[in-house]
Amino acid sequence: MSAENQELRDAGLKVTLPRVKILQLLESANADGQHLSAEDVYRTLMETGDNTGLATVYRVLTQFEAAGLVIRHQFDTGHAVFELAGGEHHDHMVCVDTNEIVEFTDEVIEKRQHEIAKKYGYELVDHSLVLYVRKKK
């Protein structure tokens, strides 16, 4: 049994060809640090000769999100992008000119966020940090 099949079963999802193919695409993109939109997934499937419809792609991504397999990010780029869940925590920079997404980690920022929450009497349980950037000219 393939790793993708087991991941789907572990998430409580039936193993179907569209789900396996979409999960494989997301795993490949994740390895390259890419975040794919539903349209990116659909376009890639079409380029490889797969006839999975756009509605199916949206449905599968929504199922993956509900099952905790992917995280949906709604950056100010106009469309949602997806990445596999379960990786190491990281934050994002989004270029306002190109929509390029860069993942980064910074221990000083992480520590400071916990300190700020504590200062106000809270415990930080989760966060999302997105920096909107532009290449310097």
Side-chain angles (χ1 to χ4, degrees):
M1 178 182 335
S2 76
E4 290 86 7
N5 289 2
Q6 191 59 49
E7 281 183 78
L8 291 170
R9 284 194 174 97
D10 290 348
L13 296 171
K14 184 177 173 185
V15 177
T16 64
L17 192 55
R19 286 183 181 145
V20 170
K21 287 183 177 185
I22 292 169
L23 187 56
Q24 288 172 338
L25 277 177
L26 291 170
E27 287 173 342
S28 176
N30 196 66
D32 294 337
Q34 295 178 316
H35 298 68
L36 300 177
S37 68
E39 293 80 7
D40 294 332
V41 171
Y42 174 72
R43 189 177 318 105
T44 304
L45 289 171
M46 294 300 291
E47 289 169 358
T48 61
D50 190 285
N51 63 354
T52 300
L54 184 57
T56 299
V57 171
Y58 275 107
R59 185 171 50 256
V60 168
L61 289 172
T62 299
Q63 292 166 347
F64 283 2
E65 182 183 16
L69 290 175
V70 300
I71 300 169
R72 175 191 309 252
H73 296 287
Q74 190 72 45
F75 301 127
D76 288 347
T77 58
H79 60 276
V81 293
F82 299 85
E83 69 177 318
L84 291 178
E88 301 242 348
H89 171 77
H90 58 271
D91 296 307
H92 298 92
M93 289 189 296
V94 179
C95 179
V96 296
D97 296 323
T98 65
N99 292 333
E100 176 187 14
I101 300 168
V102 177
E103 296 178 352
F104 73 95
T105 58
D106 186 297
E107 292 305 316
V108 173
I109 291 173
E110 296 301 315
K111 181 180 178 196
R112 188 69 182 120
Q113 291 173 119
H114 285 276
E115 291 170 353
I116 291 168
K118 185 177 179 180
K119 174 182 173 183
Y120 288 94
Y122 295 95
E123 175 186 3
L124 183 63
V125 293
D126 194 15
H127 78 276
S128 175
L129 175 65
V130 181
L131 304 176
Y132 293 93
V133 298
R134 174 175 284 132
K135 288 272 187 190
K136 291 178 99 177
K137 295 180 183 187

